C-alpha cells in the first residue's frame, strides 16, 4: 500500500525508476503551458521533479487551475526523457512524471507577497513579514541546512575532545556583561525582576567550581543591543565552552582546531591555515596596524606611524596637531593606488564618513625616469620628507599613501574603515582564504572621556595579568588574560582566563566603581563559590550565527537566522513586541509609564 503523501522525495527519482508508479508531494515551483501540455516543477525540501499532464489525463482540468506555491500530491508514471531533453542541472533531470491523479493539499488563496521561484530581490521588511515564504527559496534553504550541519559538526568535534554538553538556566539574575539585559518581571515576587542571560558566564564558571572539567553548550544568549548587519539585536546562539586547570594557550590549542575543522568542512575551496599557525596579535598592535581589534588579514595593508616626517614640516595643519599631547600621524599605504583619480575618490569617501578629507601622496615615474611624488601633501613637505615616507612604507611608482592625524582614539576606527575600503577598491583582499588571528593582551579597563569614569573594557570576570599586584597601579595600564579570535574582519570568538580568586575579584571590581557589598549582591553565588576551592579555569564563546554567516558568504546575519528581528528589533511576522493586556500588568503589579 502506497504512503498517503509520497513514495519518493522530489530529488530521488532516476532513469532506473522508469515505468514505476510513484507518489510525490510538494509545492508548485513553476508552471508552464506548452501547447496544451502542462509542465510543473514540483519542489520539496530535497529537490525538484518535473511532472506533466496532457489533455488525456483525468486531472488535466485540475492541473490548469494550479498556481505557484500550491501544495499538492500527485500520482504518476515515471518516464525517461529523450536524450536531447535531459536536464543535467537537476539530479532528476533524466526523468519526468506523467500525472494521473492529483490532490490539492494546501491552496494559495491570495496574491503571493514574494515569489519563491527565481532570485528576485525583495525589501527585507517583506521578507521578514512573510518569512515562511522567504525560507522556501533555494538560497535560504541552503543557508539553514548549512547552519544545522555546522552545529552538528561542532557538537561532534567537542564530544570527540572530551567535552560534555550541559544546559544552564534561561531565567537568571542581571549581570553587567557589556550589554543591556532583557528583564523579566516576577509574578511571585512583585516588583522584582529576573533577567535573560547575556551569556552563561557565571554558570559555566560555577560548573568548573563544581568539578566538571570540560563543559560546552550551544547556548542561547539574550542582549538588548542596537542592531548591526553582523549582530542580532535580541538573541543569538554561541558555542560556549569552559575548561579547568588551563592557561591561555591551552584554550587556543583546543578550540582553534575545532574551528579549523569546521571551516575546512564547510568552506568550499577557500583555504584555511592550520590553527597552530594563526598569529597572536596584541590589542595595541592590532589598533595601530589595522585600526580595529578584529582585523581582516586577507587585506595586506598595514598602517604605520609617520609623525616624525610631518613634525615641523611645511604642512601646518599636521605640524600643529603634533604639538598637542597624545597625537600622531598615521599612514595607510595603498599599493597600486597611485593615481589622482583614485586618491580623489578615496578623499570623497572620507568626506562621506564625516571627515574633511584624507591627505594623500602618490608616486609616479617622471619623464626623466626618476620617481616623482605628487599630491598636495608632497608639495607642502618637500621631496626629502616624501622620500623618507615612501621608503618607510616600502612603496614604489604607481602606489599611494593616505594620512590621518590626531589622537588615535579619535581616528583609529575610521582609519580601519579606510584601510578596508582601500583594500576593496584596489582588489587587494584575498577572497580565496579564511584568515584567522588571535587578538590578545586586551586592556582590562577603559576611561569614559566624558565622565572620567573607569569601567571594564572587556569581560569583567577575567584574570588580570600580574594578578593582585597589577591592580595597585594605573588601571588603564592593566592587561587581562582576555582574547578574541578574528576571521576576515569579524570577531568570531571572545574569551578569557577567569579571575577565580575572591581578593582579586573584589579589587578588580573596586577599580571599576563597584564596592564589595555591591559585588556580593550582584555576584554572591560566584563569590561564595570561590571561597571553597575554585580551580584555575578559562574558556571562550564562538558566535554560531556569525560563523555560519561567514561560511555562507553573506554580510547580513539575518540571512542565516530562521526567524530574525528587523533592524528595529521587531518581529514583523509575529507582531512582537506587543502591548500587554491590563490583566497581565495587574497580575505582575506593573504599570506602563510613557516616555516624555
Amino acid at each position: 500500500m502506497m504512503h498517503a503523501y509520497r513514495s519518493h522525495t522530489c530529488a530521488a527519482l532516476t532513469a532506473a525508476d522508469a515505468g514505476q508508479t510513484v507518489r510525490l508531494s510538494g509545492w508548485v515551483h513553476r508552471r508552464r503551458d506548452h501547447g496544451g501540455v502542462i509542465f510543473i516543477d514540483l519542489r520539496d525540501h530535497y529537490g525538484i521533479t518535473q511532472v506533466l499532464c496532457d489533455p488525456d489525463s483525468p486531472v488535466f482540468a485540475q492541473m490548469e487551475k494550479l498556481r505557484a506555491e500550491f501544495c499538492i500530491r500527485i500520482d504518476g508514471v515515471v518516464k525517461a526523457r529523450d536524450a536531447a531533453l535531459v536536464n543535467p542541472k537537476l539530479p532528476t533531470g533524466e526523468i519526468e512524471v506523467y500525472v494521473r491523479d492529483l490532490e490539492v493539499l494546501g491552496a494559495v488563496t491570495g496574491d503571493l507577497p514574494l515569489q519563491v521561484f527565481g532570485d528576485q530581490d525583495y525589501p527585507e521588511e517583506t521578507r521578514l513579514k512573510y518569512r515562511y515564504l522567504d525560507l522556501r527559496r533555494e538560497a535560504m534553504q541552503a543557508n539553514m541546512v548549512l547552519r544545522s550541519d555546522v552545529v552538528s559538526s561542532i557538537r561532534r568535534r567537542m564530544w570527540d575532545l572530551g567535552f560534555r554538553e550541559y544546559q544552564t538556566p534561561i531565567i537568571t539574575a542581571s549581570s553587567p556583561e557589556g550589554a543591556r539585559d532583557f528583564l523579566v518581571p516576577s509574578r511571585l515576587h512583585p516588583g522584582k525582576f529576573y533577567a535573560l542571560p547575556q551569556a552563561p558566564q557565571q554558570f559555566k564558571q560555577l560548573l568548573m567550581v563544581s568539578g566538571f572539567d570540560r563543559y560546552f553548550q550551544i547556548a542561547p544568549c539574550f542582549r538588548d543591543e542596537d542592531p548591526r548587519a553582523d549582530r542580532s539585536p535580541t538573541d543569538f546562539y554561541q558555542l560556549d565552552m569552559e575548561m579547568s586547570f588551563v592557561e591561555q594557550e591551552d584554550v587556543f590549542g583546543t578550540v582553534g582546531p575545532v574551528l579549523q575543522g569546521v571551516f575546512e568542512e564547510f568552506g568550499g575551496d577557500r583555504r584555511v591555515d592550520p590553527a597552530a599557525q594563526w598569529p597572536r596579535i596584541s590589542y595595541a598592535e592590532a589598533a595601530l596596524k589595522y585600526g580595529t581589534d578584529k582585523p581582516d588579514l586577507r587585506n595586506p595593508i598595514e598602517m604605520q606611524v609617520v609623525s616624525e616626517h610631518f613634525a615641523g614640516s611645511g604642512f601646518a595643519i599636521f605640524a600643529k596637531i603634533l604639538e598637542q599631547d597624545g597625537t600622531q600621524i598615521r599612514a595607510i599605504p595603498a599599493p597600486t593606488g597611485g593615481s589622482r583619480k583614485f586618491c580623489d575618490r578615496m578623499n570623497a569617501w572620507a568626506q562621506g564618513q564625516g571627515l574633511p578629507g584624507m591627505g594623500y601622496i602618490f608616486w609616479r615615474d617622471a619623464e626623466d625616469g626618476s620617481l616623482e611624488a605628487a599630491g598636495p601633501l608632497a608639495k607642502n613637505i618637500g621631496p626629502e620628507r616624501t622620500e623618507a615616507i615612501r621608503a618607510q612604507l616600502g612603496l614604489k611608482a604607481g602606489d599611494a599613501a593616505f594620512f590621518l592625524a590626531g589622537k588615535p582614539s579619535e581616528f583609529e576606527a575610521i582609519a580601519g574603515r579606510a584601510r578596508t575600503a582601500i583594500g576593496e577598491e584596489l582588489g587587494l583582499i584575498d577572497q580565496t582564504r579564511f584568515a584567522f588571528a588571535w587578538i590578545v593582551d586586551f586592556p582590562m579597563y577603559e576611561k569614559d572621556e566624558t565622565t572620567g569614569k573607569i569601567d571594564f573594557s572587556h569581560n569583567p570576570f577575567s584574570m588580570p595579568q600580574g594578578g593582585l599586584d597589577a591592580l595597585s597601579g594605573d588601571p588603564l595600564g592593566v592587561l587581562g588574560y582576555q582574547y578574541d579570535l578574528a576571521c576576515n574582519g569579524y570577531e568570531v570568538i571572545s574569551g578569557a582566563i577567569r579571575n577565580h580568586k575572591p581578593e582579586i575579584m573584589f579589587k578588580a571590581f573596586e577599580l571599576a566603581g563597584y564596592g564589595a557589598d555591591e559585588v556580593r549582591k550582584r555576584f554572591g553565588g560566584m563569590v561564595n563559590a570561590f571561597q571553597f576551592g575554585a580551580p584555575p579555569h578559562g574558556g571562550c564563546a564562538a558566535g554560531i550565527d556569525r560563523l555560519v554567516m561567514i561560511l555562507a558568504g553573506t554580510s547580513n546575519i539575518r540571512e542565516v537566522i530562521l526567524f530574525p528581528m528587523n533592524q528595529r528589533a521587531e518581529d514583523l511576522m509575529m507582531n512582537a513586541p506587543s502591548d500587554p493586556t491590563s490583566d497581565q500588568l495587574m497580575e505582575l503589579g506593573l504599570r506602563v509609564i510613557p516616555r516624555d
Side-chain angles (χ1 to χ4, degrees), residues 486-506:
C487 175
N488 292 8
Y490 296 99
E491 174 198 313
V492 295
I493 280 181
S494 186
I497 298 300
R498 316 301 180 187
N499 186 345
H500 70 286
K501 297 187 176 182
E503 66 273 18
I504 301 179
M505 185 175 174
F506 280 121

Side-chain angles (χ1 to χ4, degrees), residues 154 158 161 163 177 198-202 204-205 208 213-219 221 223 236-244 246-259 278 438-439 442 458-459 461-462 481-486 491-498 537-544 547:
I154 288 172
M158 295 301 290
L161 289 171
F163 286 79
E177 294 181 27
Q198 294 188 31
Q201 183 65 52
Q202 294 187 65
K204 69 179 182 180
Q205 291 191 244
M208 297 302 101
D213 194 66
R214 290 193 163 200
Y215 143 90
F216 89 98
Q217 181 183 186
I218 305 299
C221 304
R223 298 181 184 181
F236 59 94
Y237 282 82
Q238 64 185 31
L239 162 62
D240 201 51
M241 60 168 282
E242 199 77 6
M243 309 160 66
S244 286
V246 293
E247 296 179 304
Q248 185 168 280
E249 286 298 323
D250 297 311
V251 178
F252 294 175
T254 300
V255 73
V258 171
L259 287 200
W278 296 351
W438 287 105
I439 311 302
F442 277 83
H458 211 267
N459 190 308
F461 302 109
S462 305
Y481 285 112
Q482 302 168 336
Y483 37 82
D484 286 354
L485 182 65
E491 174 198 313
V492 295
I493 280 181
S494 186
I497 298 300
R498 316 301 180 187
H537 58 280
C540 62
I544 297 293
L547 291 176

Side-chain angles (χ1 to χ4, degrees), residues 192-485:
K192 294 188 177 182
F193 292 80
Y194 303 103
L196 301 181
Q198 294 188 31
Q201 183 65 52
Q202 294 187 65
F203 291 109
K204 69 179 182 180
Q205 291 191 244
L206 289 169
L207 279 171
M208 297 302 101
V209 179
S210 302
F212 295 92
D213 194 66
R214 290 193 163 200
Y215 143 90
F216 89 98
Q217 181 183 186
I218 305 299
C221 304
F222 307 90
R223 298 181 184 181
D224 185 1
E225 296 194 295
D226 295 330
R228 305 189 308 220
D230 68 334
R231 182 175 70 191
S232 169
T234 53
D235 56 294
F236 59 94
Y237 282 82
Q238 64 185 31
L239 162 62
D240 201 51
M241 60 168 282
E242 199 77 6
M243 309 160 66
S244 286
F245 306 109
V246 293
E247 296 179 304
Q248 185 168 280
E249 286 298 323
D250 297 311
V251 178
F252 294 175
T254 300
V255 73
V258 171
L259 287 200
Q260 176 193 335
V262 168
F263 274 73
E264 287 175 343
E265 184 176 356
F266 300 104
D269 296 332
R270 288 169 286 182
R271 179 169 56 87
V272 185
D273 291 333
Q277 298 177 13
W278 296 351
R280 274 73 162 158
I281 304 172
S282 72
Y283 173 84
E285 181 185 355
L288 171 63
K289 290 183 176 180
Y290 312 110
T292 177
D293 59 3
K294 43 183 180 291
D296 186 350
L297 297 188
R298 298 173 304 164
N299 183 348
I301 295 174
E302 293 185 355
M303 296 185 284
Q304 296 187 39
V305 177
V306 292
S307 302
E308 64 179 295
H309 306 302
F310 288 94
S313 71
F315 190 58
I317 296 176
F318 280 10
K320 288 181 179 178
I321 286 175
L322 290 173
E323 293 174 2
Q324 304 170 32
D325 291 338
T327 59
Q328 64 177 218
I329 313 298
R330 203 169 295 183
I332 310 172
T336 73
S339 71
R340 190 174 301 279
K341 182 178 179 181
F342 175 75
C343 290
D344 287 344
R345 189 160 74 247
M346 290 310 304
N347 209 33
W349 174 89
Q351 291 168 352
Q353 298 289 309
L355 294 177
M358 285 192 295
Y360 63 82
I361 300 172
F362 64 94
W363 288 267
R364 61 192 177 193
D365 290 321
E367 292 182 1
D368 62 2
S370 63
L371 191 62
E372 177 183 52
L377 284 188
K379 295 177 182 178
N380 278 283
I381 66 175
E384 185 175 327
R385 291 175 184 264
T386 55
E387 174 56 23
I389 291 171
R390 185 201 64 78
Q392 178 182 334
L393 300 179
L395 299 177
K396 61 185 185 303
D399 296 340
F402 296 86
F403 303 89
L404 289 169
K407 293 183 178 180
S409 61
E410 296 175 353
F411 72 73
E412 265 177 354
I414 197 164
R417 294 197 296 272
R419 170 184 174 268
T420 298
I422 292 167
E424 290 174 346
E425 285 279 332
L426 297 176
L428 301 177
I429 298 175
D430 183 358
Q431 303 291 345
T432 67
R433 62 186 288 245
F434 296 107
F436 289 90
W438 287 105
I439 311 302
V440 298
D441 300 336
F442 277 83
M444 279 281 291
Y445 302 97
E446 62 186 5
K447 184 177 182 180
D448 187 305
E449 296 296 335
T450 303
T451 65
K453 183 182 182 297
I454 299 294
D455 204 350
F456 292 108
S457 61
H458 211 267
N459 190 308
F461 302 109
S462 305
M463 179 67 80
Q465 296 184 19
L468 190 60
D469 292 342
L471 302 178
S472 60
D474 180 7
L476 298 180
V478 179
L479 301 180
Y481 285 112
Q482 302 168 336
Y483 37 82
D484 286 354
L485 182 65

